[in-house]
Amino acid sequence: MNNNDVFCKIVNGEIPCYKLYEDESVLAFLDISQVTNGHALVISKNHYDNFLSTPHEVMHKVMDVAQRIGQAQIKMLGAKGVNILSNCYEAAGQSVFHFHVHVIPRYGENEGLVIEMKSGNENLNLPALANKIKID
Ligand code: AMP
């Protein structure tokens, strides 16, 4: 629990939200700034700073709900696609430091979200990079 954290305040009922789902460890609600219609956030009720620092079981529960919200956006809102996004740390655009997953329905045209992955460097040593970040 972190008293200065807006999502802890939502969990505690101190700030209202448009709730989509709740159980003992997960809460889902509409993002206050709707990047596209139906843009949702799925959060852990307990405070963890971000996806990378959240215990496995909790992270899995949050992702399970994110999947179901995405399915509902396709079925009920007529979305043509969904982006699942979790920003970790300021350098990646995180502004609320409480684990959350954005579930953003995509309709194809005139949207407030542009995700563009540009290849930045063609002269990288891929074997060396792979060696550095491979896991057991
Ligand atoms: P991020 O930049 O990934 O940390 O995303 C934080 C998100 O929280 C932003 O999309 C905000 O619009 C959203 N947000 C902040 N305050 C609230 C609030 N009171 N209710 C709903 N969403 C919020």
Side-chain angles (χ1 to χ4, degrees):
M1 170 68 189
N2 174 348
N3 288 324
N4 295 321
D5 162 19
V6 66
F7 291 171
C8 278
K9 288 182 177 167
I10 288 176
V11 169
N12 291 332
E14 295 166 47
I15 293 179
C17 70
Y18 292 98
K19 198 178 289 181
L20 305 176
Y21 176 84
E22 181 171 21
D23 64 27
E24 69 285 352
S25 49
V26 180
L27 182 65
F29 52 90
L30 289 180
D31 193 302
I32 204 161
S33 43
Q34 292 278 287
V35 163
T36 63
N37 290 349
H39 175 188
L41 296 173
V42 186
I43 73 169
S44 57
K45 282 190 169 176
N46 284 342
H47 182 94
Y48 304 103
D49 287 346
N50 61 40
F51 171 85
L52 296 177
S53 59
T54 299
H56 278 167
E57 328 81 74
V58 179
M59 182 269 285
H60 290 165
K61 285 177 180 169
V62 168
M63 295 311 289
D64 179 69
V65 174
Q67 183 190 52
R68 292 171 59 197
I69 297 286
Q71 289 164 345
Q73 290 166 339
I74 297 274
K75 191 172 174 191
M76 305 307 292
L77 298 180
K80 302 278 189 290
V82 176
N83 288 109
I84 310 288
L85 182 67
S86 192
N87 299 324
C88 301
Y89 302 111
E90 204 171 346
Q94 187 177 6
S95 63
V96 176
F97 297 90
H98 179 131
F99 173 40
H100 58 281
V101 175
H102 294 263
V103 187
I104 307 173
R106 303 300 298 267
Y107 302 94
E109 285 172 9
N110 300 322
E111 294 179 330
L113 177 68
V114 178
I115 296 179
E116 196 179 1
M117 296 203 201
K118 286 187 190 164
S119 171
N121 189 343
E122 279 138 31
N123 300 314
L124 294 174
N125 184 341
L126 296 188
L129 278 172
N131 270 334
K132 278 189 183 164
I133 60 174
K134 68 184 179 188
I135 55 172
D136 294 329

